[in-house]
């Protein structure tokens, strides 16, 4: 080799891009997109219900009532589930960690499951007692959804939507995505639990302030369970159990009172 020749420097290794976390703003934007996707899916299902069953002579109030019958609510929630999961999957794919790891989809152990169900049931009993003592009625939304689903023979659809579809979509977003990103931001774990629970409660505009407060407190419990167990599946299960217990209480109340 000639002394005038200059050897080429060795090629630098190409390092793979490291996984990242969507922190406060990124997590908020993704959650907003998931919320929009959820509502669009509901609107599409509601539109299909109107196309199939609406009568030209119906008033606007009757058309609105038709879109929010129990069966339509259940169908819309079920249809929204894969759409919301697709939004989350795309966002997590960009961040590059695994979907299961990012959302903490770890199966809880038996002790955590028993603890989660027990504390959720105890809260529900305490709230029902408080509602009885203060004369708070069962929300009209719950009564109307139950009765209309029962009248239409679509109770099974409402049960799947509220006890499976809603817990999966809401918990994956709130206790999965938001808790992961916000707990690692300036908020910290406690701030993430409080803020995400407040937002989760506020999007339930079908309820009055009394039941919005209930949802906020339930959110704090679910956030506590998520932090304690490191499992979003635990909050999915307890959320589904809570909704099922509310439906069972509504059924008993309508049957015997």
């Amino acid at each position: 080799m000639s002394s005038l020749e200059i050897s080429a420097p060795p090629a630098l290794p190409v390092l793979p891009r490291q996984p990242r976390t969507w922190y406060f703003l990124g997590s908020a934007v993704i959650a907003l997109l998931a919320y929009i996707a959820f509502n669009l899916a509901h609107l599409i299902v509601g539109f299909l219900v109107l196309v199939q069953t609406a009568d030209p002579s119906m008033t606007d109030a009757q058309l609105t009532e038709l879109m929010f019958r129990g069966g339509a609510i259940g169908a819309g929630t079920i249809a929204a589930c894969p759409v919301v999961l697709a939004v989350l999957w795309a966002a997590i794919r960009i961040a590059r960690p695994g979907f299961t790891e990012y959302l903490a989809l770890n199966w809880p152990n038996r002790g955590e499951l028993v603890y989660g169900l027990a504390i959720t049931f105890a809260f529900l009993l305490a709230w029902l007692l408080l509602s009885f003592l203060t004369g708070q009625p069962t929300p009209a939304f719950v009564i109307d959804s139950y009765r209309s689903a029962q009248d239409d023979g679509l109770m099974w659809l409402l049960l799947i939507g509220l006890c499976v579809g809603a817990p999966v979509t809401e918990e994956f977003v709130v206790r999965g995505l938001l808790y992961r990103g916000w707990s690692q931001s300036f908020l910290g774990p406690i701030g993430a639990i409080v803020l995400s629970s407040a937002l989760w409660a506020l999007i339930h505009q079908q309820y009055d302030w009394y039941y919005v407060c209930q949802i906020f407190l339930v959110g704090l419990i679910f956030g506590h369970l998520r932090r304690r167990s490191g499992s979003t599946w635990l909050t999915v299960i307890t959320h589904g159990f809570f909704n099922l217990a509310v439906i069972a209480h509504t059924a008993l109340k309508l049957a015997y009172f």
Side-chain angles (χ1 to χ4, degrees):
M1 178 181 294
S2 170
S3 60
L4 297 177
E5 293 180 357
I6 301 175
S7 59
L12 296 175
V14 178
L15 298 177
R17 193 173 65 177
Q18 295 301 308
R20 58 166 292 182
T21 296
W22 296 105
Y23 294 111
F24 181 81
L25 184 58
S27 298
V29 170
I30 297 165
L32 177 61
L33 293 175
Y35 177 73
I36 292 172
F38 181 88
N39 284 281
L40 283 176
H42 261 280
L43 286 175
I44 291 171
V45 170
F47 176 76
L48 293 176
V49 169
L50 291 182
V51 170
Q52 293 293 323
T53 59
D55 189 288
S57 63
M58 285 183 170
T59 65
D60 290 344
Q62 289 173 323
L63 291 173
T64 301
E65 190 273 337
L66 187 62
M67 290 182 65
F68 289 96
R69 293 181 72 81
I73 292 172
T77 304
I78 294 169
C81 190
V83 180
V84 171
L85 293 183
V87 172
L88 297 179
W89 180 87
I92 294 170
R93 176 80 173 177
I94 293 171
R96 298 186 71 83
F99 187 82
T100 299
E101 182 271 332
Y102 195 93
L103 297 181
L105 300 180
N106 313 303
W107 197 252
N109 61 45
R110 182 180 299 178
E112 293 290 356
L113 182 59
V114 171
Y115 173 79
L117 292 175
I119 193 173
T120 302
F121 188 62
F123 171 80
L124 179 60
L125 289 180
W127 192 269
L128 290 175
L129 178 60
L130 177 64
S131 299
F132 174 76
L133 295 176
T134 57
Q136 290 289 336
T138 301
F141 172 79
V142 175
I143 298 291
D144 294 343
S145 298
Y146 180 89
R147 281 178 170 164
S148 58
Q150 190 176 48
D151 293 342
D152 297 338
L154 296 175
M155 182 58 67
W156 63 273
L157 202 56
L158 181 66
L159 284 171
I160 294 174
L162 296 187
C163 300
V164 179
V168 168
T169 54
E170 294 179 12
E171 294 305 316
F172 276 31
V173 173
V174 180
R175 257 64 65 172
L177 173 82
L178 287 181
Y179 181 81
R180 167 67 181 261
W182 286 3
S183 65
Q184 296 182 33
S185 73
F186 63 91
L187 288 174
I190 300 302
I193 291 172
V194 173
L195 183 57
S196 62
S197 298
L199 290 176
W200 182 55
L202 290 174
I203 65 173
H204 290 79
Q205 293 298 309
Q206 65 269 41
Y207 301 113
D208 62 20
W209 68 268
Y210 179 80
Y211 285 99
V212 168
C213 290
Q214 179 201 51
I215 294 170
F216 171 68
L217 295 176
V218 173
L220 295 181
I221 292 174
F222 292 165
H224 162 69
L225 294 176
R226 166 66 177 85
R227 184 187 183 196
R228 171 190 167 106
S229 68
S231 170
T232 302
W233 276 127
L234 177 59
T235 67
V236 172
I237 295 170
T238 51
H239 188 159
F241 170 75
F242 184 87
N243 286 358
L244 180 62
V246 169
I247 293 173
H249 172 259
T250 302
L252 290 174
K253 190 171 184 179
L254 291 177
Y256 298 105
F257 299 97

